[in-house]
């Protein structure tokens, strides 16, 4: 399996999603109906997809 580095936009999107998940865990964003673990998992999946897809 060949991995490539994600583009900068994919990295920034996953970073923003992870920050939203951390803020939800701290209780700052209480209006988000998802558990913070799932939000951070989505950020990790976005980052992993960016590494697996060439040119994404």
């Amino acid at each position: 399996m060949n991995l490539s580095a994600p583009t900068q936009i994919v990295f920034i999107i996953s970073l923003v999603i992870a920050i939203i998940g951390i803020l939800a865990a701290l209780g700052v964003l209480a209006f988000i109906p998802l558990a913070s673990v799932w939000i951070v998992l989505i950020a990790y999946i976005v980052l992993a997809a960016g590494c697996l897809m060439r040119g994404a």
Side-chain angles (χ1 to χ4, degrees):
M1 176 187 314
N2 291 331
L3 297 176
S4 61
T7 58
Q8 186 175 7
I9 189 71
V10 171
F11 179 76
I12 290 173
I13 289 171
S14 65
L15 183 67
V16 167
I17 295 172
I19 289 173
I20 289 171
I22 291 170
L23 289 176
L26 295 175
V28 175
L29 299 175
F31 59 88
I32 298 177
L34 280 168
S36 60
V37 174
W38 294 113
I39 298 172
V40 174
L41 181 68
I42 291 170
Y44 184 76
I45 290 171
V46 168
L47 186 61
C51 289
L52 291 173
M53 289 187 223
R54 191 173 300 267

